[in-house]
Amino acid sequence: MYYNCRFLNFAIEKYNVKRKQFGTVQESDINYFKSILSEERVLTDENDVLPFNIDWIKNCRGQSKVVLKPRNTEEVSKIIKYCNDKHLAVCPQGGNTGLVGGSVPVFDEVVLCLGLLNKIISLDEISGVLICEAGCILESLDTYVRERNLIMPLDLGAKGTCQIGGNASTNAGGLRLLRYGNLHGSILGIEAVKADGTVIDCLTTMKKDNTGYHLKHLFIGSEGTLGIVTKVSINCPVLPKAVTVGFFGVKDFQSVLKLYESAKLSLGEILSAFEMADFNAINSSVTNLNLPNPIDEYPFYVLVETHGSDEGHDAEKLNRFLDKEMESGLIIDGTVTSEPAKMQTIWNLRESIAGSSLTRGYVFKYDVSIPLGNYYDLVPMLRKKLGNKALDVYGYGHIGDSNIHINIVVPEYTKEIGSQIEPYVFEEVSKLNGSISAEHGVGFRKPQYIHYSKIESALDLMRELKTLMDPKGILNPYKVLPEK
Amino acid sequence: MYYNCRFLNFAIEKYNVKRKQFGTVQESDINYFKSILSEERVLTDENDVLPFNIDWIKNCRGQSKVVLKPRNTEEVSKIIKYCNDKHLAVCPQGGNTGLVGGSVPVFDEVVLCLGLLNKIISLDEISGVLICEAGCILESLDTYVRERNLIMPLDLGAKGTCQIGGNASTNAGGLRLLRYGNLHGSILGIEAVKADGTVIDCLTTMKKDNTGYHLKHLFIGSEGTLGIVTKVSINCPVLPKAVTVGFFGVKDFQSVLKLYESAKLSLGEILSAFEMADFNAINSSVTNLNLPNPIDEYPFYVLVETHGSDEGHDAEKLNRFLDKEMESGLIIDGTVTSEPAKMQTIWNLRESIAGSSLTRGYVFKYDVSIPLGNYYDLVPMLRKKLGNKALDVYGYGHIGDSNIHINIVVPEYTKEIGSQIEPYVFEEVSKLNGSISAEHGVGFRKPQYIHYSKIESALDLMRELKTLMDPKGILNPYKVLPEK
């Protein structure tokens, strides 16, 4: 798979960016890395290094010559301190599942692969607090805690590959944030390595700890530019004994909103996901991927999931909700199931939307937050603006988090169509007081658009924090913050 | 009430602290403040200023000569910029309900009263996002959102007086953190004024917004030392339609823990509080305050509360839990009620513990987090260590958050007894990997103990942040961080 990627353009050819005055990795540096890591954990062979240079969606390709695979915090600290002293830039990499080019090098940064920091350190089964290293894969952690009546507080499509350190560094959101909250709330403690190699150990397991500034938040969501997350402690909710999924057809977007309001009141504490997709989005999964749709065709679809501790109670609540809203007319048609295979069919239909149009042409993909009243506005606006230049425009996402994903399918990428879409999308999101990157972060691809969501005084403070924490700018350069 | 306080010692006489080289407020400064605020919002009369100089528990008394009452962010910004330029120290004050002397001046700092920033700006009833100014009182906000089927995500004893800006600045925890999470998770956006007067507007209402560093967390829990919170946007959960309270007698602490584990599994998503108190704690409320105990005397008591959307379902779950654990023997005796008056009686008994011993002598009060396995260890250790020097030692708190409050009642305060208790308590908490301040913060009274919970490299980073954000150190000086 990576063989073809040899022909992928380098990011620097697609994006206008200049290499900063960092050092270049020398033979002597390689020897130093080998002395602390051993031979086999320093990759320099071009074939070995290639996969670490290319991001998951094959949009960004860097030119790193070396990948380092530390096995513990001490090794990470030594590497970072050395790189800082020698002024070598570093690109930390977790599962490399990011969508904004944040996890791959741009030029010849040293790739710091965190995958071997993969030990589970402890789990307190009563309090539900898990401590583990940054390289643990989310799905493995979820499997581990599920055997002990707990679940991880986040779930996302990339769970089989993404790592918890990357989740923390990118403040990953996902499907059930509505229920279990965000990582700033769920992560109780962090151990991180600063740019000078200092280990900041704030790895508390306490849910309440008001002793000084809450430093962990500097590392949550800063995409590896302020420090390298090496361990996390995280609060795991109780495994739900009962899971139910409902899939409903709805006549218009206003009905989707009304249904959400009703679901919050009727389902309250058991509501674990409230997802929407328009007809074109579901149709893209059905038509392009041959997936079955368990109900008829409707202008909008809603997927409701419940997590609860009593199957009978949950089914009663969900059926009561269904009866009420079928009578009110908000739901035109629907199905409710707690059979695992059927629930999987419904989730598949929803989760496959993201990749369903990739074979039809080029897909412009946006991940934005917009206040609920205007949540869907951008989709008809884009359809009107682009007319028949677009093969398809559709929206789907997490209503409960005000987070909509908008896909625009065009026959092929051209600068002209690109310039009609960007910065238009960001301008409109900004006018609606939304966020131009809800979940995916800023990474390499969006620093030039960050001002649509953050004012200059906030960006200035971010730059000051960067200078404070990483004065030589070696940590994940060219990412997150725009040049002044 | 404040009249007697004229005779309270100044904090600087009780604590060994030297005034820093700040300017002293001059006539010309007062005139400037009057020019931007108007006469009546600049208090200089000694009687008017006195209440702002004394903290709620009458432990700390400062010597401020002036209280400023801005009405909006712009006025706060002008005041802070002026004070920074003139090198005048500032003590921000919300409801002044803090327990560590963080909200009152130490010397002659200018008191910045936030109480007139008390407007509710907006409430999105579908998403549940409230935007309001910092001076809004928590209980008023709760009343406002309850009328719209929502509740505030935090609840604490001081709710009738404390302000949301102070809650944010101190990362207030409270009774239902177990269910609704902490403020780092619930607060979506913040507007704050930096020491140089710059307004940092990060007042998003989006639950997902990954555009750059998450600056709001710098202001949550930093106790007004990094900036002044002027507005917050906060996520409000759905109002529970059904509330039920159970109060149980238990034979020993191990049974309390087992009961918590069982409650998490049996009650799952409806569990909203799990509180414990030992015999002496409840007995203190019963004996000193003449409060009724609805059950017999037991070595330990557990208060379980549920918040749910279906009264029948919740009662069924709670009764099933009660039946199961009475049969298992974990619960010796208990009562379950959803009658508001009866629930209030039980909560009163629990919430009155904190103040119940104040008439018996001097009370050393600790608010610590300790991992659950060792949660109660310190109480018997202190009883043994102090013997008959203490009139009473008891523990109570929020099991679900690993947070225990320990009270030590002595006939009167003496340095000798004080030196037997401190730093012993903090040393033991540190050995158990706990936090020496779970909820109450560091304020003026605990900087010298912060190293028991935070390592030096973390404290260094905190000092660097302070220097970055407030280079002249004018914001709430003498608080939070110890001198190096």
Side-chain angles (χ1 to χ4, degrees), chain A residues 227-249:
Chain A
I228 313 290
V229 173
T230 46
K231 295 193 186 98
V232 303
S233 90
I234 191 162
N235 187 40
C236 298
V238 172
L239 176 72
K241 287 184 203 142
V243 178
T244 312
V245 169
F247 191 61
F248 309 125

Side-chain angles (χ1 to χ4, degrees), chain A residues 232-430:
Chain A
V232 303
S233 90
I234 191 162
N235 187 40
C236 298
V238 172
L239 176 72
K241 287 184 203 142
V243 178
T244 312
V245 169
F247 191 61
F248 309 125
V250 173
K251 75 171 187 294
D252 55 25
F253 181 68
Q254 278 312 311
S255 302
V256 173
L257 277 193
K258 283 185 196 148
L259 205 56
Y260 175 54
E261 205 173 0
S262 165
K264 278 181 74 175
L265 290 174
S266 297
L267 303 173
E269 66 281 2
I270 63 169
L271 188 63
S272 57
F274 191 101
E275 304 278 308
M276 69 75 72
D278 63 18
F279 169 77
N280 294 33
I282 292 294
N283 192 49
S284 182
S285 280
V286 170
T287 314
N288 301 315
L289 303 175
N290 268 321
L291 293 180
N293 177 355
I295 62 176
D296 276 344
E297 294 187 348
Y298 296 99
F300 287 87
Y301 297 90
V302 165
L303 188 167
V304 172
E305 185 197 64
T306 66
H307 276 185
S309 60
D310 185 303
E311 195 174 332
H313 291 171
D314 297 0
E316 197 181 318
K317 288 188 180 98
L318 197 54
N319 283 318
R320 197 163 53 195
F321 166 73
L322 180 62
D323 290 348
K324 179 178 165 226
E325 299 309 349
M326 286 197 75
E327 195 168 328
S328 76
L330 284 183
I331 294 175
I332 312 174
D333 185 14
T335 176
V336 168
T337 180
S338 53
E339 280 181 47
K342 287 187 181 166
M343 292 195 291
Q344 197 52 54
T345 299
I346 294 170
W347 269 118
N348 268 352
L349 194 60
R350 160 65 188 84
E351 291 197 86
S352 301
I353 298 169
S356 63
S357 287
L358 294 175
T359 51
R360 295 171 69 195
Y362 183 85
V363 185
F364 289 91
K365 294 167 83 71
Y366 299 94
D367 158 48
V368 299
S369 287
I370 300 176
L372 285 179
N374 302 101
Y375 179 89
Y376 192 70
D377 288 6
L378 218 49
V379 177
M381 284 162 74
L382 280 161
R383 282 180 186 154
K384 190 171 169 203
K385 184 175 169 73
L386 297 174
N388 58 14
K389 285 177 208 150
L391 296 176
D392 207 351
V393 178
Y394 49 84
Y396 60 100
H398 322 290
I399 285 271
D401 314 323
S402 298
N403 177 196
I404 183 166
H405 299 291
I406 298 174
N407 288 5
I408 303 164
V409 189
V410 294
E412 60 175 347
Y413 175 85
T414 65
K415 280 203 172 171
E416 193 240 325
I417 188 95
S419 67
Q420 281 204 278
I421 299 172
E422 294 181 22
Y424 173 77
V425 167
F426 303 123
E427 282 166 359
E428 295 302 320
V429 169
S430 182

Side-chain angles (χ1 to χ4, degrees), chain A residues 9-48:
Chain A
N9 281 349
F10 290 117
I12 52 166
E13 291 162 16
K14 290 168 72 177
Y15 299 88
N16 186 22
V17 55
K18 286 212 174 67
R19 188 179 183 281
K20 293 186 179 176
Q21 294 302 306
F22 295 113
T24 305
V25 175
Q26 307 293 320
E27 189 71 29
S28 58
D29 302 323
I30 300 289
N31 289 337
Y32 174 78
F33 295 139
K34 286 181 177 170
S35 79
I36 56 169
L37 296 180
S38 78
E39 288 268 341
E40 74 278 11
R41 291 191 285 123
V42 178
L43 311 185
T44 52
D45 181 279
E46 200 183 331
N47 289 317
D48 295 341

Side-chain angles (χ1 to χ4, degrees), chain B residues 136-145 152 158-162:
Chain B
C136 292
I137 288 170
L138 179 58
E139 195 167 52
S140 313
L141 294 175
D142 198 53
T143 304
Y144 180 85
V145 302
M152 293 299 286
K159 65 185 162 207
T161 313
C162 66

Side-chain angles (χ1 to χ4, degrees), chain B residues 306-351:
Chain B
T306 65
H307 276 185
S309 59
D310 184 303
E311 195 174 332
H313 290 170
D314 297 0
E316 196 182 318
K317 288 189 180 98
L318 197 54
N319 283 317
R320 196 163 52 195
F321 165 73
L322 180 62
D323 290 348
K324 179 178 164 224
E325 299 309 350
M326 286 197 75
E327 195 168 329
S328 76
L330 283 183
I331 294 174
I332 311 174
D333 186 14
T335 177
V336 168
T337 180
S338 53
E339 281 181 46
K342 287 188 181 166
M343 291 195 292
Q344 197 52 54
T345 299
I346 294 170
W347 269 118
N348 268 352
L349 195 60
R350 159 66 187 83
E351 292 196 86

Side-chain angles (χ1 to χ4, degrees), chain B residues 64-332:
Chain B
S64 181
K65 306 284 184 235
V66 57
V67 176
L68 305 179
K69 294 181 144 187
R71 231 170 0 205
N72 56 48
T73 303
E74 196 188 346
E75 290 178 353
V76 173
S77 168
K78 279 184 185 164
I79 292 166
I80 299 294
K81 185 184 183 323
Y82 180 86
C83 290
N84 194 51
D85 290 345
K86 298 278 181 176
H87 207 207
L88 295 170
V90 176
C91 174
Q93 190 174 100
N96 196 11
T97 61
L99 297 170
V100 288
S103 57
V104 286
V106 178
F107 292 92
D108 57 343
E109 297 92 283
V110 171
V111 174
L112 185 79
C113 164
L114 277 303
L116 297 183
L117 279 87
N118 57 6
K119 283 190 285 298
I120 290 173
I121 296 167
S122 67
L123 176 67
D124 182 329
E125 295 186 28
I126 304 182
S127 69
V129 179
L130 171 77
I131 306 185
C132 66
E133 290 183 324
C136 292
I137 288 170
L138 179 58
E139 195 167 52
S140 313
L141 294 175
D142 198 53
T143 304
Y144 180 85
V145 302
R146 271 176 192 269
E147 287 164 4
R148 289 145 184 96
N149 281 320
L150 300 164
I151 55 169
M152 293 299 286
L154 78 162
D155 187 9
L156 54 156
K159 65 185 162 207
T161 313
C162 66
Q163 297 171 8
I164 194 71
N167 297 149
S169 299
T170 57
N171 186 34
L175 301 164
R176 294 184 186 88
L177 188 134
L178 156 73
R179 169 68 170 275
Y180 300 110
N182 60 52
L183 290 180
H184 285 284
S186 300
I187 290 181
L188 302 177
I190 271 188
E191 178 195 76
V193 177
K194 273 176 67 193
D196 63 2
T198 309
V199 178
I200 302 289
D201 177 358
C202 290
L203 204 60
T204 178
T205 60
M206 300 293 96
K207 289 177 193 166
K208 288 179 175 170
D209 174 24
N210 280 337
T211 51
Y213 306 156
H214 297 217
L215 299 176
K216 66 185 175 207
H217 301 288
L218 287 171
F219 306 106
I220 301 173
S222 55
E223 305 184 34
T225 63
L226 297 182
I228 313 290
V229 173
T230 46
K231 294 193 187 99
V232 303
S233 91
I234 190 162
N235 187 40
C236 298
V238 172
L239 176 71
K241 288 185 206 143
V243 178
T244 311
V245 168
F247 191 62
F248 308 125
V250 173
K251 75 171 189 293
D252 55 24
F253 181 69
Q254 277 313 309
S255 301
V256 173
L257 276 192
K258 282 186 196 149
L259 205 56
Y260 175 54
E261 205 172 1
S262 166
K264 280 181 71 172
L265 290 174
S266 296
L267 304 173
E269 67 281 1
I270 62 169
L271 187 63
S272 57
F274 192 102
E275 304 278 306
M276 70 75 74
D278 63 18
F279 169 76
N280 294 32
I282 292 294
N283 192 49
S284 181
S285 280
V286 171
T287 312
N288 301 314
L289 304 174
N290 268 321
L291 294 180
N293 177 355
I295 61 174
D296 276 344
E297 295 186 346
Y298 296 99
F300 287 86
Y301 296 91
V302 165
L303 188 168
V304 173
E305 186 198 63
T306 65
H307 276 185
S309 59
D310 184 303
E311 195 174 332
H313 290 170
D314 297 0
E316 196 182 318
K317 288 189 180 98
L318 197 54
N319 283 317
R320 196 163 52 195
F321 165 73
L322 180 62
D323 290 348
K324 179 178 164 224
E325 299 309 350
M326 286 197 75
E327 195 168 329
S328 76
L330 283 183
I331 294 174
I332 311 174

